[in-house]
Amino acid sequence: VTDWRDDAGSGGWANVTGMDEDGRYQENTGFLVDSDSITFSFASFTSLMDATNPNDFSFDIMWRVHDALELSLAAAEKASGLSGGIQSCLFYDWMVAGRVFLRSAVENTAIALSIALAVILTMTKNWKVTLISFASLMCVLSFVFFLMVAAGWKINVLESIDISIASGMAVDFVLHLAHSYNHQHGNSEQRTRSALGEMGISILSGFGTTMFACCALFMTQLLWFKLFGCFIAMLICSSVCTAMIGMMALLAAFGPDEGEAVINFPGTQK
């Protein structure tokens, strides 16, 4: 250690000559000198993990590496009698960011779904229509998330934003059709036909204009805009198929007839 310290010159802090003839450890080891004592030292190493391989450098694997190094550091401090040691990696900040992205996406989705449920229930005042509509909304989100996983997307800045806004965009077609169904007359099949006849063309028009907007995003050179266009396309296709086919089929088969399953809120007219 004395020879190692003498190599540093007056300032300490970095190993000038290296610890072997090739100087392989010159930038990977060092210390801080205060008079005749070493107050701080560091040593770094290479993990040999391939940063370009997602199976070798995923968040899950890196968090396990972090936890293992924390245990190794605690064992080293116990064996040496030293304290205050830390271990770090350039990837740690991105690991923390990824965890924050995932948590914020889940929290935002939960809040958005809660608001959507309250809006659907308030606008329709019918518990059957609300349950079928909310189940359809969950199907839209599940299908979109499945497509994101199938495409190999990972939770990142863009993906966390996409997940956060997915609920608000997916509820559009569902709520329009549910509201239209709620104002029709007759039994469930008649109300379904009338709702599709009244709102179907508007839904398809909205689908078409949104897809045109996605085509504009597809032609951009920035990857961020291309991926956002892909997300909007996945969401709008899932939404229109689920709302126009799945939800309306459920309403025709299990939806309430006129005057059935109505919720009379206090202060509202029956």
Side-chain angles (χ1 to χ4, degrees), residues 24-196:
R24 289 180 297 173
Y25 303 105
Q26 181 170 340
E27 298 179 356
N28 295 333
T29 61
F31 51 88
L32 182 64
V33 177
D34 183 10
S35 299
D36 291 332
S37 50
I38 298 176
T39 59
F40 172 82
S41 65
F42 71 90
S44 57
F45 62 92
T46 302
S47 66
L48 299 181
M49 299 173 66
D50 185 4
T52 63
N53 184 359
N55 295 323
D56 195 27
F57 215 69
S58 65
F59 282 140
D60 292 337
I61 292 177
M62 287 306 300
W63 276 112
R64 290 200 295 268
V65 170
H66 170 271
D67 295 339
L69 290 176
E70 284 291 312
L71 293 175
S72 299
L73 178 62
E77 289 182 340
K78 183 178 180 180
S80 63
L82 301 176
S83 61
I86 59 172
Q87 57 92 11
S88 182
C89 173
L90 292 176
F91 197 66
Y92 284 174
D93 55 347
W94 197 240
M95 290 161 52
V96 175
R99 178 171 288 182
V100 172
F101 294 152
L102 178 60
R103 184 175 66 248
S104 62
V106 172
E107 292 175 352
N108 293 337
T109 300
I111 295 172
L113 288 175
S114 301
I115 296 175
L117 178 61
V119 170
I120 294 173
L121 183 61
T122 303
M123 293 297 102
T124 62
K125 300 178 183 177
N126 191 293
W127 63 268
K128 274 191 175 182
V129 175
T130 299
L131 287 180
I132 294 175
S133 301
F134 191 74
S136 301
L137 176 59
M138 295 297 294
C139 288
V140 174
L141 294 179
S142 299
F143 193 53
V144 171
F145 296 159
F146 164 77
L147 292 176
M148 293 173 69
V149 173
W153 291 13
K154 305 294 182 181
I155 297 296
N156 208 320
V157 178
L158 175 62
E159 289 77 8
S160 63
I161 295 174
D162 291 344
I163 294 174
S164 298
I165 67 175
S167 302
M169 297 188 63
V171 77
D172 190 25
F173 294 163
V174 170
L175 184 57
H176 279 77
L177 286 171
H179 185 265
S180 178
Y181 176 93
N182 203 52
H183 284 76
Q184 306 305 322
H185 303 288
N187 58 32
S188 60
E189 293 184 3
Q190 293 171 335
R191 300 178 85 185
T192 299
R193 292 193 185 97
S194 298
L196 285 172

Side-chain angles (χ1 to χ4, degrees), residues 223-265:
L223 180 61
W224 198 96
F225 290 116
K226 286 181 180 292
L227 293 179
F228 190 69
C230 291
F231 166 76
I232 298 297
M234 290 188 293
L235 178 62
I236 206 71
C237 290
S238 302
S239 182
V240 72
C241 291
T242 302
M244 295 282 285
I245 300 174
M247 188 184 79
M248 299 312 290
L250 289 175
L251 285 174
F254 307 106
D257 297 334
E258 185 178 3
E260 182 185 355
V262 176
I263 301 175
N264 294 313
F265 294 110

